[in-house]
Amino acid sequence: MLRTIRLLITFDGTRYHGWQRQHNGITVQGVLEEQLGHLCKKNITLHGAGRTDAGVHAMGMVAHFHLGASIPLKAFTDGLNSMLPQDIRILEAREEKPEFHSRFSALGKTYRYDFYTGPLQQPTTRLYAAHFPGFFDSSRLTEALQLITGTHDFSSFERVGSRNRELQTGRGAVRTIYKATCSAHPHQADHWSIQITGDGFLRQMVRILAGTLIEIGMGKRSPASVQTALVAGDRTKAGMTAPAHGLFLEKIYYQQLFHS
């Protein structure tokens, strides 16, 4: 009988062309599948909870695979970590029920977007926080954060062409945001984090939301423009797509969503 093995993964996405396997670039999934193949002595197909763009980081990506061999779970943490490059680590391995699926069993996700508004960014943070030097007032985001919370059609906050709109089924671009916040780093001046928890996200949705919110905080657009964009269903009505390297996938929820 096939076992279902679930992995909790953290990675620095700087040198990867995203999560999903590609023929023309190194990816996190590709590296993991290659090393799992060596460990298990067979080809392994890894099913991730979602895709991440090139340069995006993860604190809590989840993926699963099926295996018939009685390899101990410790081999998928200690053993696999010894084979992986230092920018990918397995935090946990567990055996799941056969019906578990990393993507389809997920109830929600939390993403964090980090950015810096000071005049000169330290080289050591340049790969993990976007740089937007100048004025930024987080109080300007209060209304906008409230507006994106709840269930909405987020077509305006989706990368153009990422879905075939003629073939879309189910909820289309409708998603529910449970919580959205913007907070200052307690010990580092001018460092900010936008954190968004929802039941699912469209392609580049978090980066576009972050870019729109940052523009509001910088005084480049009004808080009410969020409502205008939500109603319009037009990508041109929302703000910029924030750079990928500021984005972190923090957590994926399978049993209980984070509401508070």
Side-chain angles (χ1 to χ4, degrees):
M1 182 175 179
L2 287 178
R3 303 159 66 199
T4 300
I5 308 298
R6 166 176 160 180
L7 303 178
L8 179 62
I9 307 159
T10 182
F11 59 82
D12 177 339
T14 301
R15 73 185 184 101
Y16 296 99
H17 292 252
W19 163 267
Q20 191 170 24
R21 185 192 318 108
Q22 298 179 23
H23 296 297
N24 58 350
I26 183 173
T27 67
V28 179
Q29 181 186 19
V31 170
L32 282 166
E33 287 182 341
E34 181 180 4
Q35 298 308 322
L36 277 168
H38 294 316
L39 181 64
C40 300
K41 296 181 172 52
K42 61 171 292 183
N43 291 332
I44 296 294
T45 299
L46 199 57
H47 304 274
R51 298 183 296 182
T52 58
D53 293 334
V56 173
H57 315 291
M59 311 301 291
M61 170 63 88
V62 175
H64 77 279
F65 64 96
H66 299 292
L67 182 70
S70 57
I71 299 174
L73 291 175
K74 194 175 182 64
F76 303 117
T77 51
D78 298 4
L80 188 55
N81 281 333
S82 70
M83 303 166 67
L84 290 168
Q86 292 184 339
D87 51 12
I88 302 176
R89 283 292 176 266
I90 308 301
L91 300 175
E92 180 186 62
R94 67 166 71 174
E95 200 152 344
E96 280 285 355
K97 297 178 180 179
E99 62 269 23
F100 174 83
H101 193 286
S102 298
R103 177 183 174 190
F104 300 120
S105 300
L107 300 175
K109 300 176 183 178
T110 293
Y111 282 93
R112 188 184 82 241
Y113 194 88
D114 290 350
F115 60 102
Y116 174 65
T117 56
L120 183 68
Q121 187 175 33
Q122 292 291 330
T124 53
T125 68
R126 77 191 191 285
L127 300 178
Y128 310 104
H131 190 202
F132 296 101
F135 170 81
F136 182 80
D137 179 3
S138 63
S139 68
R140 288 179 50 84
L141 271 60
T142 302
E143 179 185 350
L145 291 166
Q146 292 174 346
L147 287 170
I148 67 171
T149 303
T151 302
H152 308 282
D153 185 317
F154 283 96
S155 296
S156 295
F157 299 89
E158 176 184 23
R159 191 183 77 171
V160 174
S162 58
R163 287 181 304 124
N164 186 329
R165 298 187 183 281
E166 294 181 356
L167 298 177
Q168 63 178 275
T169 57
R171 58 179 178 169
V174 176
R175 299 291 185 274
T176 298
I177 300 299
Y178 298 109
K179 186 173 182 180
T181 62
C182 179
S183 57
H185 194 286
H187 306 299
Q188 293 179 290
D190 301 320
H191 284 80
W192 304 87
S193 292
I194 293 169
Q195 192 178 63
I196 301 176
T197 298
D199 67 348
F201 296 90
L202 304 167
R203 190 74 182 272
Q204 295 188 350
M205 177 175 158
V206 180
R207 290 171 59 192
I208 297 170
L209 284 170
T212 303
L213 292 168
I214 290 168
E215 287 181 354
I216 292 170
M218 298 178 76
K220 295 183 176 181
R221 64 170 52 235
S222 70
S225 68
V226 170
Q227 182 63 33
T228 301
L230 287 170
V231 172
D234 180 351
R235 174 66 187 89
T236 65
K237 300 300 182 183
M240 64 177 169
T241 304
H245 64 274
L247 185 60
F248 293 78
L249 171 58
E250 284 201 324
K251 188 172 182 178
I252 302 174
Y253 302 89
Y254 290 97
Q255 293 183 333
Q256 182 177 359
L257 282 176
F258 176 66
H259 291 281
S260 58

